[in-house]
Amino acid sequence: MLLGQVIGTVWATRKDPQLVGMKFLLVREVDLDGSPLATTVVAVDAVGAGEGETVLVAQGSSGRQTELTDKKPVDAVIMAIVDRLDVVEVDPPVLQETA
Amino acid sequence: MLLGQVIGTVWATRKDPQLVGMKFLLVREVDLDGSPLATTVVAVDAVGAGEGETVLVAQGSSGRQTELTDKKPVDAVIMAIVDRLDVVEVDPPVLQETA
Amino acid sequence: MLLGQVIGTVWATRKDPQLVGMKFLLVREVDLDGSPLATTVVAVDAVGAGEGETVLVAQGSSGRQTELTDKKPVDAVIMAIVDRLDVVEVDPPVLQETA
Amino acid sequence: MLLGQVIGTVWATRKDPQLVGMKFLLVREVDLDGSPLATTVVAVDAVGAGEGETVLVAQGSSGRQTELTDKKPVDAVIMAIVDRLDVVEVDPPVLQETA
Amino acid sequence: MLLGQVIGTVWATRKDPQLVGMKFLLVREVDLDGSPLATTVVAVDAVGAGEGETVLVAQGSSGRQTELTDKKPVDAVIMAIVDRLDVVEVDPPVLQETA
């Protein structure tokens, strides 16, 4: 899933009739320290996310696996609101046996 | 979904027979201030979008979830025409507890 | 869909038995003025595209929505041969209301 | 699949009800020598991966092909914990017949 | 599909039980002249590819369309072993009518 921050709303009255009633939110990807990254996606809100909140976005066909977006032309859904991250210092793994 | 602007039309007479009657539009991705970005996709129009209009494009299998594109070899569909964006200033979130 | 030009053929005798008889073409993405871009994909030809022709490629599961590629391990199909593009000059859209 | 290292956990109490009980782990992509790469994804853990471990992540609809994530709004799942890599020196292949 | 060269093997004993018996190979993308590119993916081998061989990889849900990977948490499968490429010199197409 993509880690991002809600930074706005997209308004669209003319749309596929299946989409009526859905909230389209602007989600800007953020790094683990919260700083903004380059990617911004438009996602349907399925959990009541508010502006400024940090969220998880499921994309592709997984974006249609909620009651709200099932079988809809939607490729990104907000499916969780993030409380916090626990990030740990790790050593790079040793993946190959040295000869 | 991808936020983009319709900048043209693709004409193709020789095509999979399932695609006859579909309009293939050129959609250039735009930033939140409307400025053009690098990506341009070809998408089937499902909502009557016109040249110059700002639209939302659903990609992948979600591009097939409209009556027009159901079960068709289409991986991008225009499913909404954008009226406007509300973008808010947000502070970067504090995601990690400082020790 | 991806806009590209056919620049060659991939020959592969040892393959999944479901793929026997399919033509694997090399498709290099092109810009709207026809100039080559960085991406080259291998796609199954479903419409009789020839070398040098400009085509549309549907990717992902949409690459399996033709009679030829249905249920096959194929993630890219050529589903149209392009006649021409009509590209129009557009002004960047005004997406946000200024306060 | 993506080769990555588990570097943390995402906590989210407000989420789609189908996701209750799932562990969301932060997986940073690594190179073949274990050095960190730019991409970090959030993936559901389906095999009991721990922090610092090297894992394989299946993305897209394949992220839903485990008992835990079936039909859920999840686009990335940890489906294997890596023991080691065997990487061999190979000569670049000669793919084209010189005239 | 992605054109790549097999450069190694991933060993993983702890994994989703559905994956037992599958070979996970490291496939580095190559250019049309065989030179290595930046992307390396982990793919399940469905055609008996050996180290150093040039292969085609189908990704996403198409990675599950072989008998071996059907319904499995696998998003990339080796489905062909390349014999050779025929690449032709082509002129950039003229896509737009000049006024």
Side-chain angles (χ1 to χ4, degrees):
Chain A
M1 281 61 72
L2 178 140
L3 180 71
Q5 184 178 26
V6 177
I7 60 166
T9 305
V10 180
W11 302 97
T13 33
R14 290 174 294 158
K15 58 200 165 199
D16 185 292
Q18 307 177 83
L19 302 172
V20 172
M22 291 194 194
K23 256 174 83 178
F24 293 99
L25 298 183
L26 288 164
V27 181
R28 184 169 55 199
E29 188 174 12
V30 294
D31 210 336
L32 303 186
D33 61 3
S35 55
L37 295 174
T39 304
T40 296
V41 298
V42 178
V44 168
D45 174 31
V47 289
E51 284 167 355
E53 293 204 287
T54 306
V55 296
L56 293 183
V57 177
Q59 298 185 75
S61 57
S62 297
R64 303 199 304 273
Q65 308 300 317
T66 70
E67 223 173 295
L68 180 67
T69 57
D70 183 31
K71 299 188 179 63
K72 304 293 191 311
V74 167
D75 65 16
V77 75
I78 296 173
M79 31 52 90
I81 299 170
V82 174
D83 302 323
R84 76 171 200 284
L85 308 183
D86 287 342
V87 182
V88 294
E89 285 301 319
V90 292
D91 294 325
V94 177
L95 297 178
Q96 300 179 44
E97 286 166 1
T98 46
Chain B
M1 279 62 72
L2 178 140
L3 179 71
Q5 184 177 26
V6 177
I7 60 166
T9 304
V10 180
W11 301 98
T13 33
R14 291 175 294 160
K15 58 201 166 198
D16 185 293
Q18 307 177 82
L19 301 172
V20 171
M22 291 194 195
K23 257 174 81 178
F24 293 99
L25 298 183
L26 287 165
V27 180
R28 184 169 54 197
E29 188 174 11
V30 293
D31 209 337
L32 303 187
D33 61 3
S35 54
L37 295 174
T39 305
T40 296
V41 299
V42 178
V44 167
D45 174 30
V47 288
E51 283 167 357
E53 293 205 285
T54 306
V55 296
L56 294 183
V57 176
Q59 298 186 74
S61 58
S62 297
R64 304 200 302 274
Q65 308 301 317
T66 70
E67 224 173 294
L68 180 68
T69 56
D70 183 31
K71 298 189 180 64
K72 304 294 191 312
V74 166
D75 64 16
V77 73
I78 297 173
M79 30 51 90
I81 299 169
V82 174
D83 302 323
R84 76 169 200 285
L85 309 184
D86 286 342
V87 182
V88 294
E89 285 301 319
V90 292
D91 293 325
V94 177
L95 297 177
Q96 300 178 44
E97 286 168 0
T98 46
Chain C
M1 279 62 72
L2 177 140
L3 179 71
Q5 184 177 26
V6 177
I7 61 166
T9 304
V10 180
W11 301 96
T13 33
R14 290 175 294 160
K15 57 200 165 198
D16 186 292
Q18 306 176 82
L19 302 173
V20 172
M22 291 194 194
K23 255 175 80 180
F24 293 99
L25 297 183
L26 287 164
V27 180
R28 184 168 54 197
E29 188 175 12
V30 293
D31 210 335
L32 304 186
D33 61 4
S35 55
L37 295 174
T39 304
T40 296
V41 298
V42 178
V44 167
D45 174 31
V47 288
E51 284 167 357
E53 292 204 288
T54 306
V55 296
L56 293 183
V57 177
Q59 297 186 75
S61 58
S62 297
R64 303 200 302 274
Q65 308 301 316
T66 70
E67 222 173 297
L68 180 67
T69 56
D70 183 31
K71 298 187 180 65
K72 303 295 190 311
V74 166
D75 64 15
V77 74
I78 297 172
M79 29 52 90
I81 299 168
V82 174
D83 302 323
R84 75 169 200 284
L85 308 184
D86 286 343
V87 182
V88 294
E89 285 300 320
V90 292
D91 293 324
V94 177
L95 296 178
Q96 300 178 44
E97 286 168 1
T98 45
Chain D
M1 279 61 74
L2 178 141
L3 180 70
Q5 183 178 26
V6 177
I7 61 166
T9 304
V10 180
W11 301 97
T13 33
R14 290 173 294 158
K15 56 199 166 201
D16 185 292
Q18 306 176 84
L19 301 173
V20 172
M22 290 195 194
K23 257 174 84 179
F24 294 99
L25 298 182
L26 288 165
V27 180
R28 184 169 56 196
E29 188 174 12
V30 294
D31 210 336
L32 303 185
D33 62 4
S35 55
L37 296 174
T39 305
T40 297
V41 299
V42 178
V44 167
D45 174 31
V47 288
E51 284 168 356
E53 293 203 287
T54 307
V55 295
L56 293 183
V57 176
Q59 298 185 75
S61 58
S62 297
R64 304 199 303 274
Q65 308 300 316
T66 70
E67 221 174 297
L68 181 67
T69 56
D70 183 30
K71 298 188 180 64
K72 303 294 191 308
V74 166
D75 65 15
V77 74
I78 297 173
M79 31 51 91
I81 299 169
V82 174
D83 303 323
R84 76 169 201 283
L85 310 183
D86 287 343
V87 182
V88 294
E89 285 300 320
V90 292
D91 294 326
V94 178
L95 297 178
Q96 301 178 43
E97 288 167 0
T98 46
Chain E
M1 278 62 71
L2 177 142
L3 179 70
Q5 183 177 26
V6 177
I7 61 166
T9 305
V10 181
W11 302 96
T13 33
R14 290 175 293 159
K15 56 199 167 201
D16 185 292
Q18 306 176 84
L19 302 173
V20 172
M22 290 194 194
K23 257 175 81 179
F24 293 99
L25 297 183
L26 287 165
V27 180
R28 184 168 56 197
E29 188 174 13
V30 293
D31 209 337
L32 304 185
D33 62 3
S35 55
L37 295 174
T39 305
T40 297
V41 298
V42 178
V44 167
D45 174 32
V47 288
E51 284 168 355
E53 293 203 286
T54 306
V55 295
L56 293 183
V57 176
Q59 297 185 76
S61 58
S62 296
R64 303 198 305 273
Q65 308 300 316
T66 70
E67 221 173 299
L68 181 67
T69 56
D70 183 31
K71 297 188 180 64
K72 303 295 191 309
V74 166
D75 64 16
V77 74
I78 297 172
M79 30 53 88
I81 299 169
V82 173
D83 302 323
R84 77 171 199 281
L85 309 183
D86 287 343
V87 181
V88 294
E89 284 302 319
V90 292
D91 293 325
V94 177
L95 296 178
Q96 301 178 43
E97 285 167 2
T98 46

